[in-house]
Amino acid sequence: MYEQRPYRELPWFSPEPNEELVEAVDDGFFRPRSDVLDIGCGAGTNVLFLARRKFRAHGVDLSPIAIQAAEGRARQARLDVDVRVGDALRMPFRPRQMAAANDRGCFHTLPVGRRREYAAEVARVVRPGGAFLLTWVGRETTSVDGPPHRPSLEEVTRVLEPWFIFQRTWFRPPPRPGAYSGYAARMLRRTSPQPSPR
């Protein structure tokens, strides 16, 4: 879709960072001046926000056109960011490089059978004790358009709990009629393996 339309016309583009990310920065869930990764960064709105707030801002996206747009916007704003073309299932970052990660809209685009692979990869790049913020379009969104895989809260926790401890989850009602509803979750990367069931 980046090849067919200007990024500003794409339905997921926003010139403003997502509300949950702003809150995570404002209340210290993301530690100041640390390395933070935006997964599926698109044209870079969240990466630019993080850089403006003095984080070492990183982004990854499958689309070279999206990364070119993010780089151009960063140059125009005179911000230093690290954005790379890459697959969310094999990210071009070192193990434990990130203190935190944000995903606004990547997870729910993945094939259902690859969700566990994604969770393991996020856990690889986020250091133990690090923060992870995930927002996704939930099953409650029944419109024809939008992501094909709209996981329930149960599906998300089942995939991510082996690597992350859920601190808080909440439902995000649609901000306007016809918009998507979904969920957000704050997690911490486990510092030890998840205990076995009893």
Side-chain angles (χ1 to χ4, degrees):
M1 290 183 73
Y2 280 101
E3 295 176 356
Q4 298 166 0
R5 297 165 65 181
Y7 71 85
R8 291 183 184 276
E9 295 179 7
L10 293 171
W12 56 80
F13 174 76
S14 170
E16 301 297 326
N18 60 299
E19 177 183 326
E20 296 80 10
L21 176 61
V22 175
E23 290 175 2
V25 168
D26 286 345
D27 66 19
F29 182 64
F30 284 3
R31 291 193 297 262
R33 300 183 183 275
S34 60
D35 289 278
V36 179
L37 171 64
D38 189 38
I39 303 168
C41 67
T45 296
N46 287 329
V47 175
L48 300 180
F49 164 75
L50 290 165
R52 285 188 182 99
R53 297 294 293 268
K54 308 303 183 190
F55 289 89
R56 292 184 294 276
H58 308 265
V60 63
D61 199 282
L62 199 57
S63 168
I65 295 174
I67 293 299
Q68 288 171 9
E71 289 172 334
R73 294 174 75 201
R75 279 193 303 273
Q76 187 174 17
R78 298 182 179 178
L79 293 170
D80 184 21
V81 302
D82 168 29
V83 289
R84 307 182 192 184
V85 176
D87 188 336
L89 303 175
R90 290 179 301 281
M91 291 188 277
F93 301 102
R94 299 186 312 275
R96 303 183 176 196
Q97 182 176 345
M98 304 299 168
N102 174 63
D103 176 346
R104 178 187 174 267
C106 180
F107 177 80
H108 60 219
T109 68
L110 298 171
V112 174
R114 305 202 74 180
R115 289 176 182 166
R116 186 174 173 84
E117 192 179 341
Y118 166 90
E121 181 64 357
V122 177
R124 182 187 70 81
V125 300
V126 174
R127 64 190 62 140
F132 181 34
L133 174 65
L134 175 66
T135 59
W136 70 95
V137 174
R139 227 177 250 181
E140 289 73 14
T141 297
T142 57
S143 60
V144 174
D145 61 333
H149 310 294
R150 302 170 191 185
S152 68
L153 183 57
E154 180 192 12
E155 290 173 288
V156 172
T157 55
R158 188 167 59 241
V159 168
L160 289 160
E161 269 193 317
W163 291 278
F164 294 91
I165 295 171
F166 281 71
Q167 278 201 326
R168 177 182 167 214
T169 60
W170 65 102
F171 180 70
R172 302 165 55 242
R176 60 190 178 282
Y180 303 143
S181 60
Y183 291 89
R186 285 186 177 191
M187 295 165 255
L188 294 177
R189 172 76 168 86
R190 289 186 183 274
T191 57
S192 57
Q194 183 184 26
S196 301
R198 292 188 180 187

